[in-house]
Amino acid sequence: MDPFKNRQWVVVLIIISVGLIFSFRLFYIQVINKDWSERASQITSKTENIQPPRGFIYDRNNQLLVGAETIYDIYIHPSIIKPKDSSAICKLFNLSNDNFQEIIKNASTGYNVPYKPSVFIESMTQKEHAKISPYLGQINAVFAKSKIDRGYPNSIAAHLLGYIRRIDENQFENTKAQGDFFYTKNDFIGITGLEKQYELLLRGERGNINYLKDYAGNKVETVNKKPPKPGMSLYTTLDTELQKLGEKLMANKIGSIVAIEPSSGEVLAMVSAPSYNPSSLTGRDFSDNFKILKKNDSLKPLINRPVYNDKYRPGSIFKLVQALIALEDGVILPETGFYCNKNIIGCHNHERPNNLTKAIKHSCNPYFFQVYKRLIMKDNSKNVFQTSREGLEIWEKKIKSFGFGNSLGIDLPEEKSGFIPDVDFYDKWYGKKRWAFSTIYSNSIGEGEIGVSPIQMANLASIIANRGYYYTPHVIKKTANENILKKFKIKHSTCVDKKHFEVVVKAMNEVVNQGTGRNAKIDSIEVCGKTGTVENKTFNDHSVFISFAPMDNPQIAIAVYVEYGTWGSKWAAPIASLMMESFIKGSLSEKSIEKANQISQAVILNPNTDFK
Amino acid sequence: MKYRNLSIWRNIDKPLLIMYLLLSVIGYFIMYSSTFKGLDIQSDFWTANYGKQLIWIITTLFLGFFILLLDGSFIKNTAYFTYGFVLLLLILVLLMPPIKGARSWFYFSGFSIQPSEFIKLTLSLSIAKLLSDVGSRFQEFRTKLKAFFMIIIPALLIAVQPDPGTMLVFACFIFVLYREGLSGNFLLIGLFTVLIAVVGIFLKASNSVFHLAGNAISGNIFFGLILILGFIFSFLIIRYFVLPRFRKQKIQRLIIITLLGLSISGGINYVYDSVFSERHRTRFQIMFGVKEDRKGAGYNIYQALSAVGSGEGFGKGYLKGTLSNDKYNHVPEQNTDFIFCVLAEEWGFLGSFLFIALYLSTLIRMILIAERQRSKFTRIYGYCVSAILFFHFMINIAMVIGLAPVIGIPLPFFSKGGSAILSFGLMVFILLRLDSERKVVLR
């Protein structure tokens, strides 16, 4: 008899107890505790955003202004680099051995792991890529992946279009705080211009994909996919040819051109000089170029002057407004005449302004001094301070009905309001009852404290072209969101009756035909315009010209402002004339082309330019 | 000849045969799933892992059939010879170039042989022969010593490779020896050792500090104090409650056990600080949950537990695993040591439980078979096979479900690897053959 026979049960018991322990443990980690199951899905499942392609921007003739450009990221995959590859890589990308080692190190540490490829050259242009692409095929460890960036086939209207850049910490937090959870920290966002204004339309809707990944993070199986909704296209009111011409004419100058279609308020061209190539603010060179444009250039090329610079004094073009308000108020008649008395305010020599037309034609300063005096000091029986006060109050309201002193509401984020001095302003400046007409008379000829942006000047031309009303100037023409367009269909009327405009329109026509603006004449088109010379104490005066054409049934209204342009008819008038000719006739005559080239080559810069 | 074959078939243990075949088939399908890369990926069947595995299984069945034709006495008589032969291979394999840091394989074109898998089989036969020889009695010290060396020599050779997992399996022979009359104290001492070791390592790994009368003392010294306190307490019990004539013996044992405990505890202190490398320490820390290092040393176990846990109650379905197969590859060694993950992930707790039940039933069936033998040789051999498989199962599953530190050891019938499939299969077939002679022979 085997004395140890019963020991079999000890062994069996041990086996069974191990089985039970394992079963309990498995029951715990598989059924009771869901932690491991959750960890498993963290390991395997990944949700990735799919970036929607940003909407394109077109001009009024469906010509592409902002499209897509294919650029290339170069990836390196450290774990599959063969010894012979490294020298080939160094040669191809012009790297020293140390550089190469550093690249490998970067691609293997931090967020990067050696068994997965990572970017080592970002955003290569198509041209650069074409140079290296034949050799890339020979090196397994290095490859290029294409992606889409903003592309500018026409390289125009940089200011108006604006630029995008990677969202910064502040913006990221702000958008989140406003309940907008669209962005990730890698996303781009419109910073200026249309890109900013219509960000919500352009950016589209994000899609996402949920997939199962393998150990290296590669996508193995798609579980769920929501395709992105591409950003909407913007159709703008811009005319590419006109914009191009404008930018050409304003080369080597500082200033603005704004051209508007009066019947609709559509902006045909908006030039801010100096300008820059919009594609310089894309891709890999963004930060370098941005630094140059922002900090290293005293001419502030990034500023969109037509809407942003509201410190411009309008000069003599303001006489048109004064004339219109005076006619409406009845303080003058078209036949009213004054002497050109140069005692208080200077003037040049011209025939006697014995009616309003002649005064406008010759831009007579003393005449408008008198007009303004009548506007401000209506009741001579009262105290001079009191009547000036009341007069200014009324005058200011009327001026503002022309779109001055407030933002017009153009669909560009940079627009500023301009400034029309009011009672409060002078009270603060001089003290209550310490100022009267004699203190503020320089307003009469558009000098003094008045600040007007070029878009407001163009709008003035548009108002006169329309004989009394305007539509808010705007850049968008067509979009899927109709609500946006609604506010641009509202007619804004001025305080001045239609009948008073005819006198001024005639006078403006005289200006171009026989007066100060003869430089703006166009063959076979009746042009109306008004010059302005804005006093500048440090350097040459500024050259201003507003205009529209043809006189009857106007197609284009334009304002040109050339800083340091000496006087109105010297630079601004011919520039406006060429723009209008090109737009109305569709092309320039031989003579005009030559003129355009000459203007384009002229350099008018103040070396000490700097403004806030 | 015809008659003999028939008699083998009649006397063969059908339940064990069926259990073995069932485990092999399930094992193959699980192994297939672990190498699954998706239906659309076509590769040449016979050169793929699952094709090779099938070749090995067919080879095993073929050789198993051949073994059934052998005479039981032949198997017994060649035991020492085969043992010696494989031992020679174990020495020769140390001259081979290392693969993954271990000199465990002979490489031939297309396949490799791992002699350490076969030594388990030949060692079982030799131990059975040694203990069942008419001349030897287990009670004699000489026999015990012989058995001890028979086991320890291959174990040491494997330790040199190094392959600590396989080496650990040799401890399973303690069950066999226990059944054959080794004092149960060894089992208890073994358990006691393991217990002290676990507590000791835990205290070291967790860097525990206790406060005693205002002094901070490290965990292990505290543990030592507790052991001494236990000793004093037991001593007092013996002193007052045990009859004087038993006292001396009991106190002797108590002293031995206490000294053993203290020395193990002290030894662990030393080994942990001086012998273990940081890597080992981290593994233990992870096992005890002191440290989480899911990207580094804890990666394997974290991924494995996630895979097991994700199976939940009823699993994801066959070939539908999302972690432990070659398609996703989240679990390292999922074809070999961590193959249980595949089963647990795809068949859930239900499948895992049935698997455990089937596996352990097979082992218990072997013990029952061993116990019904008149031949001592067959009985001892049966115990050896059961114990080896049990140890493999226990260590492997405990590792996968986070109850033991990560030790590389295959799961018999499941893990990829020809040598293991062949060796474990032959073990079972030899047991079946020997068992089929139970009515004829008395050895």
Side-chain angles (χ1 to χ4, degrees):
Chain A
M1 196 47 220
D2 188 343
F4 303 118
K5 186 118 185 126
N6 283 335
R7 287 192 172 182
Q8 64 173 300
W9 302 118
V10 176
V11 177
V12 169
L13 200 71
I14 291 173
I15 292 178
I16 290 176
S17 41
V18 165
L20 286 177
I21 292 170
F22 285 4
S23 300
F24 284 133
R25 169 75 174 164
L26 279 168
F27 191 69
Y28 178 72
I29 57 180
Q30 292 189 299
V31 181
I32 296 175
N33 188 339
K34 295 286 172 209
D35 288 359
W36 285 110
S37 187
E38 257 165 48
R39 284 169 193 156
S41 48
Q42 280 168 18
I43 291 170
T44 53
S45 126
K46 186 163 186 193
T47 304
E48 244 176 33
N49 285 320
I50 313 180
Q51 197 92 336
R54 205 171 165 86
F56 289 0
I57 302 180
Y58 298 89
D59 84 338
R60 64 190 294 117
N61 302 315
N62 296 342
Q63 213 173 323
L64 191 63
L65 294 177
V66 185
E69 183 126 326
T70 310
I71 53 170
Y72 298 86
D73 284 343
I74 309 295
Y75 284 74
I76 192 158
H77 191 166
S79 67
I80 62 166
I81 295 179
K82 296 184 198 115
K84 71 176 169 75
D85 288 348
S86 42
S87 63
I89 293 169
C90 288
K91 218 171 129 194
L92 188 55
F93 297 103
N94 220 347
L95 300 168
S96 74
N97 198 38
D98 289 348
N99 285 341
F100 180 69
Q101 293 308 329
E102 205 184 306
I103 285 168
I104 297 294
K105 205 180 135 203
N106 287 339
S108 315
T109 48
Y111 282 119
N112 303 322
V113 281
Y115 58 82
K116 271 173 83 174
S118 56
V119 180
F120 85 102
I121 299 179
E122 213 182 336
S123 312
M124 223 177 206
T125 64
Q126 219 150 359
K127 224 174 177 180
E128 292 170 306
H129 174 252
K131 262 187 236 164
I132 59 159
S133 63
Y135 308 102
L136 281 181
Q138 297 159 13
I139 310 167
N140 275 334
V142 175
F143 59 90
K145 237 182 185 176
S146 64
K147 64 177 189 187
I148 303 293
D149 200 350
R150 286 309 232 187
Y152 301 87
N154 283 306
S155 296
I156 53 161
H159 299 95
L160 183 102
L161 298 171
Y163 59 90
I164 57 173
R165 76 184 297 176
R166 188 160 279 138
I167 192 164
D168 67 24
E169 198 69 32
N170 268 339
Q171 278 173 315
F172 183 72
E173 295 304 327
N174 285 346
T175 51
K176 263 189 158 173
Q178 286 159 17
D180 179 359
F181 297 100
F182 176 86
Y183 300 98
T184 67
K185 288 189 174 173
N186 264 332
D187 276 329
F188 282 73
I189 185 170
I191 303 294
T192 62
L194 291 176
E195 298 275 18
K196 182 182 184 184
Q197 182 76 23
Y198 294 112
E199 170 71 16
L200 296 182
L201 297 181
L202 288 167
R203 73 185 187 186
E205 261 171 54
R206 192 181 293 287
N208 58 49
I209 181 170
N210 177 254
Y211 62 82
L212 295 174
K213 60 177 182 187
D214 68 7
Y215 74 105
N218 300 317
K219 185 171 95 183
V220 176
E221 212 171 290
T222 304
V223 178
N224 209 342
K225 187 174 176 180
K226 185 185 144 210
K229 227 163 126 191
M232 284 186 234
S233 289
L234 284 188
Y235 292 87
T236 65
T237 59
L238 229 53
D239 184 299
T240 301
E241 291 311 313
L242 191 65
Q243 178 77 21
K244 260 187 196 164
L245 176 66
E247 289 186 12
K248 182 183 163 189
L249 294 171
M250 288 302 284
N252 308 319
K253 298 164 192 72
I254 307 170
S256 307
I257 302 177
V258 180
I260 297 177
E261 184 183 68
S263 59
S264 61
E266 292 175 2
V267 174
L268 300 169
M270 184 182 280
V271 179
S272 178
S275 187
Y276 61 93
N277 185 339
S279 44
S280 62
L281 289 185
T282 60
R284 172 157 53 113
D285 299 328
F286 181 96
S287 42
D288 291 346
N289 290 336
F290 186 77
K291 211 183 278 167
I292 293 169
L293 291 170
K294 176 92 185 172
K295 301 213 174 92
N296 298 356
D297 195 329
S298 61
L299 301 181
K300 310 277 179 200
L302 281 179
I303 287 172
N304 191 7
R305 289 177 165 80
V307 289
Y308 186 81
N309 195 344
D310 64 342
K311 300 271 195 298
Y312 285 130
R313 278 167 287 135
S316 301
I317 60 167
F318 211 65
K319 290 171 185 162
L320 299 172
V321 194
Q322 302 285 31
L324 285 165
I325 294 175
L327 287 170
E328 176 68 25
D329 268 13
V331 294
I332 59 165
L333 293 170
E335 296 78 25
T336 307
F338 295 103
Y339 283 104
C340 179
N341 177 356
K342 302 186 182 78
N343 287 345
I344 302 173
I345 200 160
C347 201
H348 54 105
N349 293 321
H350 53 80
E351 63 179 310
R352 199 191 145 214
N354 52 9
N355 60 31
L356 179 60
T357 309
K358 278 184 188 162
I360 291 176
K361 182 174 147 191
H362 297 296
S363 196
C364 177
N365 290 342
Y367 187 97
F368 285 96
F369 173 86
Q370 294 299 336
V371 171
Y372 191 50
K373 191 172 181 182
R374 287 191 182 182
L375 278 170
I376 297 297
M377 311 226 298
K378 278 183 183 144
D379 192 348
N380 283 325
S381 61
K382 280 187 188 162
N383 171 313
V384 66
F385 297 111
Q386 187 57 35
T387 184
S388 294
R389 197 178 173 81
E390 284 166 8
L392 186 75
E393 249 167 19
I394 297 164
W395 176 79
E396 174 226 332
K397 279 206 186 75
K398 293 192 168 162
I399 287 287
K400 282 189 171 168
S401 77
F402 282 79
F404 296 114
N406 284 312
S407 302
L408 287 170
I410 188 175
D411 45 351
L412 284 174
E414 294 88 2
E415 198 200 0
K416 286 178 116 189
S417 63
F419 183 70
I420 297 298
D422 57 10
V423 172
D424 289 343
F425 172 80
Y426 286 121
D427 280 352
K428 219 176 263 168
W429 190 272
Y430 298 107
K432 245 181 186 175
K433 305 235 164 169
R434 305 284 299 269
W435 58 272
F437 170 74
S438 54
T439 338
I440 64 171
Y441 66 84
S442 46
N443 288 342
S444 63
I445 55 164
E447 300 279 351
E449 289 75 32
I450 297 167
V452 172
S453 66
I455 185 81
Q456 287 170 330
M457 298 180 198
N459 192 48
L460 172 62
S462 179
I463 289 169
I464 300 171
N466 285 336
R467 278 77 168 166
Y469 64 88
Y470 69 95
Y471 294 99
T472 304
H474 55 279
V475 187
I476 190 149
K477 193 170 174 71
K478 251 194 301 179
T479 170
N481 190 342
E482 287 291 326
N483 275 341
I484 290 172
L485 300 174
K486 251 183 213 163
K487 64 178 176 205
F488 300 128
K489 301 244 153 74
I490 300 168
K491 199 173 186 176
H492 300 277
S493 296
T494 58
C495 64
V496 178
D497 194 87
K498 193 179 170 202
K499 65 181 181 221
H500 300 304
F501 278 89
E502 282 309 329
V503 188
V504 174
V505 168
K506 285 265 156 49
M508 285 171 78
N509 185 232
E510 296 268 295
V511 169
V512 174
N513 288 337
Q514 300 151 28
T516 52
R518 290 188 298 274
N519 264 347
K521 234 188 254 183
I522 307 171
D523 288 344
S524 73
I525 295 173
E526 285 301 328
V527 178
C528 302
K530 178 75 192 80
T531 56
T533 304
V534 180
E535 199 172 285
N536 179 29
K537 291 189 173 94
T538 58
F539 192 53
N540 290 342
D541 290 346
H542 305 308
S543 169
V544 193
F545 192 70
I546 68 168
S547 176
F548 63 88
M551 181 165 73
D552 306 309
N553 190 23
Q555 294 171 28
I556 179 169
I558 191 166
V560 179
Y561 202 110
V562 181
E563 295 182 30
Y564 322 113
T566 324
W567 62 83
S569 64
K570 184 165 184 185
W571 296 110
I575 288 174
S577 150
L578 288 168
M579 293 286 282
M580 290 189 289
E581 181 186 351
S582 163
F583 183 73
I584 295 168
K585 292 188 171 171
S587 63
L588 292 175
S589 67
E590 292 274 322
K591 217 175 96 191
S592 299
I593 290 173
E594 200 182 309
K595 197 165 150 197
N597 288 337
Q598 278 171 9
I599 292 175
S600 177
Q601 279 154 21
V603 179
I604 314 168
L605 297 175
N606 177 1
N608 306 318
T609 307
D610 213 0
F611 68 76
K612 288 158 257 104
Chain B
M1 198 67 187
K2 201 176 180 188
Y3 166 77
R4 233 181 81 158
N5 274 352
L6 269 177
S7 83
I8 290 170
W9 177 244
R10 194 180 306 136
N11 289 320
I12 214 164
D13 190 66
K14 305 307 180 296
L16 179 58
L17 181 65
I18 289 169
M19 283 169 166
Y20 161 71
L21 291 175
L22 211 56
L23 280 176
S24 293
V25 171
I26 295 171
Y28 179 71
F29 277 107
I30 295 298
M31 188 271 165
Y32 178 84
S33 177
S34 84
T35 58
F36 184 66
K37 285 186 179 168
L39 287 170
D40 46 333
I41 294 174
Q42 300 288 333
S43 52
D44 184 29
F45 186 87
W46 297 109
T47 54
N49 281 326
Y50 44 85
K52 284 187 190 164
Q53 185 86 342
L54 192 61
I55 293 174
W56 281 107
I57 290 174
I58 291 169
T59 310
T60 306
L61 292 176
F62 181 77
L63 286 177
F65 178 75
F66 181 69
I67 279 167
L68 291 181
L69 299 178
L70 288 177
D71 197 60
S73 58
F74 175 79
I75 294 170
K76 183 180 176 181
N77 292 337
T78 54
Y80 287 158
F81 172 73
T82 51
Y83 173 75
F85 177 68
V86 179
L87 209 56
L88 188 68
L89 291 181
L90 274 183
I91 295 168
L92 290 178
V93 85
L94 295 177
L95 306 174
M96 298 302 287
I99 292 157
K100 284 188 196 165
R103 301 170 195 274
S104 305
W105 289 273
F106 287 111
Y107 246 86
F108 302 100
S109 56
F111 71 104
S112 56
I113 293 286
Q114 194 181 357
S116 56
E117 290 299 336
F118 294 100
I119 194 71
K120 294 170 205 161
L121 167 61
T122 55
L123 175 60
S124 302
L125 289 169
S126 301
I127 285 282
K129 184 172 160 69
L130 174 74
L131 299 183
S132 64
D133 268 348
V134 189
S136 68
R137 286 184 59 229
F138 188 67
Q139 272 62 33
E140 285 175 16
F141 182 71
R142 235 162 54 107
T143 316
K144 283 182 192 169
L145 201 66
K146 274 187 191 167
F148 177 74
F149 276 110
M150 205 173 256
I151 296 166
I152 205 74
I153 289 170
L156 288 178
L157 282 172
I158 288 167
V160 175
Q161 284 182 353
D163 183 358
T166 307
M167 195 196 87
L168 207 57
V169 173
F170 286 79
C172 76
F173 285 97
I174 202 167
F175 284 113
V176 180
L177 301 180
Y178 167 70
R179 169 63 185 82
E180 291 311 310
L182 187 71
S183 165
N185 288 343
F186 282 96
L187 271 191
L188 289 179
I189 287 173
L191 193 69
F192 181 68
T193 311
V194 170
L195 220 72
I196 301 237
V198 168
V199 173
I201 293 176
F202 172 71
L203 290 173
K204 285 302 284 183
S206 59
N207 255 329
S208 316
V209 172
F210 293 87
H211 294 278
L212 198 69
N215 300 313
I217 50 172
S218 85
N220 262 46
I221 294 176
F222 184 74
F223 187 48
L225 287 176
I226 289 204
L227 280 180
I228 292 166
L229 270 178
F231 167 74
I232 294 167
F233 186 65
S234 312
F235 180 81
L236 291 176
I237 287 176
I238 292 165
R239 178 78 179 75
Y240 293 105
F241 295 97
V242 177
L243 292 174
R245 57 188 152 125
F246 296 127
R247 244 177 238 167
K248 197 177 167 194
Q249 188 202 1
K250 296 268 177 200
I251 285 173
Q252 261 178 8
R253 285 190 186 168
L254 187 62
I255 290 171
I256 289 171
I257 288 183
T258 311
L259 286 181
L260 185 74
L262 284 175
S263 57
I264 292 170
S265 161
I268 280 170
N269 225 5
Y270 169 75
V271 169
Y272 192 89
D273 288 335
S274 312
V275 179
F276 279 4
S277 65
E278 194 54 44
R279 187 167 55 97
H280 294 119
R281 281 192 277 267
T282 319
R283 273 194 195 179
F284 279 110
Q285 284 170 339
I286 287 158
M287 206 204 94
F288 287 118
V290 176
K291 190 171 170 183
E292 190 154 298
D293 180 17
R294 50 166 304 201
K295 291 286 171 208
Y299 179 75
N300 290 21
I301 194 63
Y302 187 94
Q303 303 293 90
L305 277 172
S306 303
V308 171
S310 73
E312 301 194 334
F314 303 100
K316 297 175 186 168
Y318 188 57
L319 297 183
K320 288 185 182 143
T322 53
L323 286 103
S324 49
N325 54 39
D326 287 353
K327 191 170 166 189
Y328 294 98
N329 227 344
H330 287 298
V331 181
E333 300 298 330
Q334 61 215 358
N335 310 139
T336 54
D337 296 346
F338 281 93
I339 196 155
F340 176 68
C341 292
V342 182
L343 190 145
E345 189 189 353
E346 295 188 339
W347 298 99
F349 173 72
L350 186 70
S352 306
F353 180 74
L354 291 177
F355 158 79
I356 290 173
L358 173 65
Y359 218 104
L360 297 184
S361 306
T362 313
L363 301 184
I364 291 170
R365 179 73 203 163
M366 286 175 177
I367 284 169
L368 296 182
I369 286 173
E371 286 295 341
R372 75 185 178 192
Q373 306 298 325
R374 281 181 285 171
S375 154
K376 207 176 165 188
F377 175 75
T378 311
R379 182 183 74 210
I380 296 170
Y381 175 72
Y383 262 92
C384 286
V385 175
S386 186
I388 289 170
L389 291 175
F390 176 59
F391 254 59
H392 270 274
F393 172 83
M394 184 171 70
I395 297 170
N396 182 282
I397 305 295
M399 162 187 86
V400 174
I401 63 182
L403 294 178
V406 175
I407 302 162
I409 186 169
L411 181 63
F413 315 123
F414 283 70
S415 291
K416 189 189 88 180
S419 301
I421 287 287
L422 184 59
S423 148
F424 291 123
L426 294 185
M427 273 185 208
V428 176
F429 276 110
I430 290 174
L431 180 60
L432 284 169
R433 178 68 191 102
L434 294 173
D435 173 60
S436 69
E437 291 178 353
R438 65 185 176 275
K439 287 168 185 161
V440 198
V441 235
L442 177 69
R443 282 192 192 97

